[in-house]
Amino acid sequence: MNLIVKYVNSPVAWILALILAGTSAIAFGIVGIGRMDGAFAHGQADFSHGQADLRYIYAAGRCLAHGLSPYDPVSFATCSQEWNLAIGGYVYPPQAAPLGILLSYLSYSWARVLKIGIDLACVVGLAALCAMPPKCPTDLGVPNPAPEAHWLIPALILGNPFTLLVVWMG
């Protein structure tokens, strides 16, 4: 029991947890290990899969950049013909339009890289925000949370399967 307590109280354990969570974020959220359409699902490296939502947003950005409505099934089918996305149509809210237009000016490969970067920046920002101690010393909460929280909370956010699904879907 003392060994477990010693391990849990060790900063090395918490740093290792954060490193493993970051590794799982890359493996499951970007590469798609364990997914049917992951990068190595068919025995060879193929990073063209994943980011399913990005395809819709990118195609809608193409439509909007050409003065077409992504909500019109015919124009959306024209802008998304390389992915055959017309089956479900475009159902995202209009607030996604600026991002779609921005991404549509890049090639799809670069748009994907940019979108993954945005997703990861948001995940890291959320982890940092959640791990920060209270700034005001008069807060009624715990004035100085356990030092392990600075490592554990980001590890929980980075290694969370739901967070990784959002990164994978784009």
Side-chain angles (χ1 to χ4, degrees):
M1 184 68 168
N2 287 338
L3 181 62
I4 294 172
V5 171
K6 183 179 177 182
Y7 176 73
V8 168
N9 289 328
S10 167
V12 173
W14 298 107
I15 293 170
L16 181 62
L18 184 58
I19 290 170
L20 290 174
T23 303
S24 75
I26 293 169
F28 301 114
I30 297 173
V31 177
I33 291 177
R35 299 189 185 275
M36 291 175 51
D37 58 346
F40 297 100
H42 304 291
Q44 60 186 13
D46 179 11
F47 290 95
S48 64
H49 300 291
Q51 302 289 308
D53 290 340
L54 175 63
R55 293 179 191 139
Y56 285 89
I57 294 169
Y58 184 83
R62 279 184 179 171
C63 285
L64 292 167
H66 290 95
L68 303 172
S69 171
Y71 298 104
D72 174 37
V74 175
S75 63
F76 186 72
T78 303
C79 296
S80 65
Q81 59 189 337
E82 65 194 77
W83 297 296
N84 193 21
L85 302 176
I87 296 168
Y90 184 72
V91 296
Y92 297 86
Q95 294 87 338
L99 177 63
I101 293 169
L102 171 74
L103 295 174
S104 73
Y105 287 115
L106 302 171
S107 69
Y108 181 74
S109 299
W110 282 109
R112 186 169 187 247
V113 168
L114 179 62
K115 184 65 170 74
I116 289 172
I118 291 170
D119 290 344
L120 291 178
C122 289
V123 169
V124 169
L126 178 65
L129 182 68
C130 291
M132 287 189 326
K135 292 185 178 187
C136 180
T138 59
D139 281 344
L140 298 176
V142 178
N144 187 12
E148 296 86 11
H150 299 294
W151 301 103
L152 178 63
I153 293 172
L156 289 174
I157 292 171
L158 284 174
N160 187 310
F162 299 107
T163 304
L164 302 180
L165 176 66
V166 169
V167 173
W168 174 253
M169 292 301 291

